Structure formats: C-alpha cells, structure tokens
C-alpha cells in the first residue's frame, strides 16, 4: 500500500485554496494507481487492450447472430406445425365449398400437402429463405408480392412512431429525473401513466375527433391525398421517396397523413420510455462516480446529459427494440382506424380468412423483424456499455 509523507498532504491543502482540487488530486490518483497495478500490467492493458476489445466485440456479434439464426429456425418450425394442426383443408378453403373432390386433390398436389411432413417443412423453409411463400389461397397472387406492396406502409408508420417515442419520451424522462418530486415530475408521471394504460385505438379516435372539430383541413384517412395516389417511388416509403425524387409536396403530404397515426401508436411507448428513463436516471444518480463528478464541481447539466444519459440509455433502447418488433405485427388497430392499408391489417385479414400461406408468411416476417431489431439493439448496447460484451466473451 502506498503511503504519502505529511509534507505532501500539507502542500496539497495549501494549494487547494488556489487551484481546483481536481488538478491537485491528479498526481495523487496516478501515484495510487501505479502503486497498486504492476507496470507490466499497465503496458499490457495499453498495448493490447484495443485488440482484445475488438476481438471481444466480434465474438459478441458472432454469438448474437448465431443465436438469432437459431431462433428464426425454431420460429419457422413452430409456424409450420401450427399451420398443419389448424382445422380445415387449405385446398378446400381456397376453392370453396362448391369445388369437386378432384379439384381439391389437384390443388393439394400442387401445394405439396400430400408429401410427408418433413418434406413439406424443408420445402417451406427453402422457399422462405428465397422469399417464396407460395400463392395466396384467396387472391391467387404470390404472397411475397403482396407483402412487398404492403410492408412499406407499416414500416414507415412504425419508424415514425419510434422517432416520436425517442424525441418525446427520452427528454421528458430525463427532465422528470432531474426535477423529481416536483410538480413538473408529478405531471409527467400522470401523463406517462395515461399513455401506458389507454389503448392506442382510443387515442386514434380522439385524434380524429380533434381534427374533425379543430383541424378541418388535416387529413385523417389513408397515406396520401387523392391527387397523389398514383405516385410510386423506389422504396415505397412516401416520405423518403418524395425526398429522393424531388417531390417535396409528396413528402409534406405524407408527413401530414402520418402525424396522427404515428402519434396514436406512440403514446404507450412514450409513457414506457419516460418512466424507465426516469427510473434509470435516478438510480445512476446515486452511483459513486456520479457523486464524485458533482463533488468536483462539474455542472449538473454536463453530468446529466454527458454521463448519466449514456448510462441510462440501455433500458430505453431495449424498450424501443421490443416496440419496433411488436408494432410491425400489432399496428393493425391503428391502421384500421386510419384506413392505412398496411402489412399489419392485411395480416389480420389473412388470419380471419384462413389464408394459410399468407398467415405463415406474415408471422415469419414479423418474427424476423423481432429478431433483427433485438440484434441491432444488442449491438448498440454492446457499443454503449463494453462490460456486457466483455462478459459475454468470458
């Protein structure tokens, strides 16, 4: 254990009246650190630390990708099994009750329903990898083509919802933690509680009524105005396609149509992110390193937004990843209220009509988004907090 002479302590106390204490403590902290850690270890940590961190990150990434690939495989197996135990003959449902037995048998042979179950599963898996989910039993069109036409609408709505969650929920959660136990904190907690408990379709209806009475020119149905209904862009995301093609009128019109559905869909997430951010900020404020920063005279604004916010961002990021994955398949209520015509509402219709191929494709695509979203969130969290990926490496 390193010991310091008394005259050094006296010099420190005299100098502290003239210089910031952080400058005076710096050589003492360096001396303590070097006294406790061997020089060989210091050399190792500085020379090879970067390589070890990089290797640990790639190992962390590899583990996540392999794990999520296994999750997708298990999901495909569960979807296939559930689709085969559902009552009713898919061929009979597709042809209707007036079709003859010969027609039903012919369609069953075309769909491969007479093959053994393992063969059917591998055919389904191979087609899913290539993006081929067969034809819809109701419309007769390729399911992948229908999904490609409907998915951009839901994806645009969900992405706008996440932006609203982040822009509103995170800052207000930080402010609620900074001014906790005040009237401002109490109002924010009530708002977050209302957002979490009230269903999204009720928010959607209230927003439509508000627009009908006070914003009579504001669009409340569809994705675009009638004059722009024939606009087609490269991505299917109207806001982005308008920017890429120079049609800023399309972007503005799409944003107007997008505002209320995205806000209604974001209310529950705003409440969750606000509450979780507030709790995480309050918890990290009690940590020793944060108290040390405050004792050194670091401004509260710097401590909050430079240090505490980074430490507290893990929980909100996790919530946003889960919200993104769930909203891809669960946004059908808001889509139906606003006549959005997206992937989620089409998935509900396929379930009601027992369109087997479409149902399997919708569930698998929703699961894929869930897996990809969690993979991205895990990578972001690993970049924010290296301790997590180093723990995985060990």
């Amino acid at each position: 254990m390193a010991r310091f002479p008394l005259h050094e302590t006296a010099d420190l106390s005299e100098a502290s009246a003239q210089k910031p204490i952080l400058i005076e403590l710096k050589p003492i902290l360096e001396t303590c650190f070097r006294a406790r850690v061997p020089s060989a270890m210091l050399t190792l940590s500085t020379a090879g630390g970067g390589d070890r961190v990089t290797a640990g990150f790639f190992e962390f990434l590899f583990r996540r990708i392999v794990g999520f690939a296994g999750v997708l495989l298990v999901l495909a197996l569960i979807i296939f099994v559930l689709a085969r135990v559902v009552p009713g003959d898919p061929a009979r449902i597709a042809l209707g009750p007036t079709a003859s037995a010969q027609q039903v048998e012919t369609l069953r042979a075309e769909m491969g329903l007479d093959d053994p179950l393992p063969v059917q599963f591998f055919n389904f898996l191979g087609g899913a990898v290539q993006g081929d989910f067969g034809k819809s039993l109701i419309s007769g069109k390729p399911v992948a083509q229908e999904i490609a036409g409907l998915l951009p609408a839901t994806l645009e709505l969900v992405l706008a919802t996440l932006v609203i969650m982040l822009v509103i929920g995170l800052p207000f959660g930080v402010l609620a933690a900074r001014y906790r136990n005040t009237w401002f904190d109490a109002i924010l907690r009530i708002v977050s509680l209302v957002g979490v408990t009230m269903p999204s379709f009720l928010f959607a209806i209230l927003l439509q009524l508000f627009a009908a009475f006070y914003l009579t020119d504001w669009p409340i149905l569809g994705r675009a105005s009638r004059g722009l209904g024939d606009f087609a862009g490269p991505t299917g995301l109207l806001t982005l396609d308008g920017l890429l093609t120079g049609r800023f009128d399309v972007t503005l019109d799409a944003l107007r149509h997008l505002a209320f559905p995205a806000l209604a869909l974001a209310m529950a997430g705003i409440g969750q992110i606000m509450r979780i951010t507030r709790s995480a900020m309050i918890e990290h404020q009690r940590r020793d390193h944060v108290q040390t920063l405050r004792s050194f005279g670091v401004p509260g604004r710097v401590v909050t937004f430079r240090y505490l916010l980074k430490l507290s961002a893990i929980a909100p990021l996790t919530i946003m990843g889960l919200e993104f994955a769930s909203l891809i398949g669960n946004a059908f209520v808001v889509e139906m209220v606003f006549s959005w015509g997206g992937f989620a509402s089409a998935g509900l219709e396929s379930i009601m009509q027992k369109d087997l191929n479409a149902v399997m494709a919708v569930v698998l695509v929703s699961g894929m988004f869930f897996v990809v979203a969690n993979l991205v969130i895990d990578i972001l969290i690993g970049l924010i907090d290296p301790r997590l990926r180093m723990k995985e490496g060990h």
Side-chain angles (χ1 to χ4, degrees), residues 171-202:
F172 278 105
V174 173
L175 293 175
R178 188 174 183 183
Y179 301 104
R180 66 183 185 276
N181 298 329
T182 63
W183 63 269
F184 184 70
D185 179 30
I187 292 177
L188 290 181
R189 280 188 287 178
I190 294 174
V191 172
S192 65
L193 183 62
V194 172
V196 170
T197 56
M198 188 175 294
S200 58
F201 74 88
L202 184 56

Side-chain angles (χ1 to χ4, degrees), residues 21-364:
I21 190 170
L22 181 61
I23 298 178
E24 296 299 329
L25 284 177
K26 182 178 179 181
I28 298 178
L29 294 175
E30 290 178 351
T31 304
C32 293
F33 181 72
R34 294 185 179 278
R36 292 179 179 271
V37 182
S39 58
M41 187 178 296
L42 287 174
T43 304
L44 179 62
S45 64
T46 56
D51 296 336
R52 288 200 305 272
V53 171
T54 303
F57 174 74
F58 282 110
E59 183 179 357
F60 168 82
L61 183 60
F62 177 76
R63 287 173 178 266
R64 283 291 186 264
I65 293 176
V66 171
F68 286 131
V71 170
L72 279 178
L73 182 61
V74 174
L75 177 63
L77 178 60
I78 294 175
I79 294 170
F80 176 81
V81 172
L82 291 178
R84 291 301 180 267
V85 299
V86 172
D89 187 354
R92 172 60 68 181
I93 295 174
L95 295 176
T98 60
S100 64
Q102 182 62 34
Q103 292 175 327
V104 173
E105 290 298 328
T106 303
L107 183 57
R108 284 182 60 86
E110 293 178 359
M111 297 176 62
L113 297 177
D114 294 330
D115 297 332
L117 288 180
V119 176
Q120 294 184 40
F121 173 69
F122 283 109
N123 290 336
F124 164 71
L125 191 61
V129 172
Q130 300 176 6
D132 182 11
F133 298 101
K135 293 184 178 180
S136 171
L137 302 181
I138 305 300
S139 65
K141 298 179 181 179
V143 175
Q145 180 180 347
E146 292 186 345
I147 290 179
L150 296 171
L151 186 59
T154 299
L155 187 60
E156 185 176 37
L157 176 61
V158 172
L159 290 176
T161 300
L162 292 181
V163 172
I164 294 176
M165 287 182 189
L166 182 64
V167 171
I168 298 179
L170 193 63
F172 278 105
V174 173
L175 293 175
R178 188 174 183 183
Y179 301 104
R180 66 183 185 276
N181 298 329
T182 63
W183 63 269
F184 184 70
D185 179 30
I187 292 177
L188 290 181
R189 280 188 287 178
I190 294 174
V191 172
S192 65
L193 183 62
V194 172
V196 170
T197 56
M198 188 175 294
S200 58
F201 74 88
L202 184 56
F203 277 116
I205 295 174
L206 291 177
L207 288 174
Q208 284 187 334
L209 292 175
F210 175 79
F213 281 99
Y214 301 103
L215 301 174
T216 55
D217 294 333
W218 197 269
I220 57 175
L221 294 176
R223 296 184 63 198
S225 300
R226 292 184 178 180
L228 304 175
D230 57 347
F231 175 80
T235 66
L237 308 177
L238 295 181
T239 53
L240 180 60
D241 290 339
L243 295 176
L244 294 177
T245 58
R247 292 288 304 274
F248 300 108
D249 58 327
V250 174
T251 300
L252 181 60
D253 183 75
L255 288 175
R256 284 165 53 87
H257 283 79
L258 191 62
F260 281 171
L263 182 59
L265 203 58
M267 290 304 298
I270 290 173
Q272 291 183 10
I273 291 177
M274 193 184 304
R275 291 166 61 88
I276 290 177
T277 303
R278 177 185 180 276
S279 301
M281 294 283 291
I282 293 175
E283 179 184 356
H284 285 99
Q285 282 179 357
R286 304 188 183 100
R287 300 290 179 88
D288 292 339
H289 61 278
V290 176
Q291 298 298 329
T292 303
L293 289 172
R294 296 187 185 279
S295 65
F296 283 164
V298 179
R301 176 175 55 83
V302 176
V303 173
T304 299
F305 292 100
R306 185 173 179 180
Y307 298 101
L308 280 176
L309 185 57
K310 182 178 180 180
L311 294 172
S312 307
I314 294 178
L317 279 177
T318 304
I319 292 297
M320 289 187 64
L322 296 175
E323 286 289 334
F324 172 78
S326 63
L327 289 177
I328 288 292
N330 297 335
F332 60 88
V333 176
V334 173
E335 287 187 357
M336 293 175 67
V337 172
F338 287 96
S339 300
W340 194 254
F343 169 79
S345 55
L348 179 63
E349 292 179 3
S350 65
I351 293 174
M352 300 298 294
Q353 296 173 350
K354 295 184 179 181
D355 191 348
L356 182 63
N357 292 338
V359 171
M360 295 172 66
V362 166
V363 176
L364 188 59

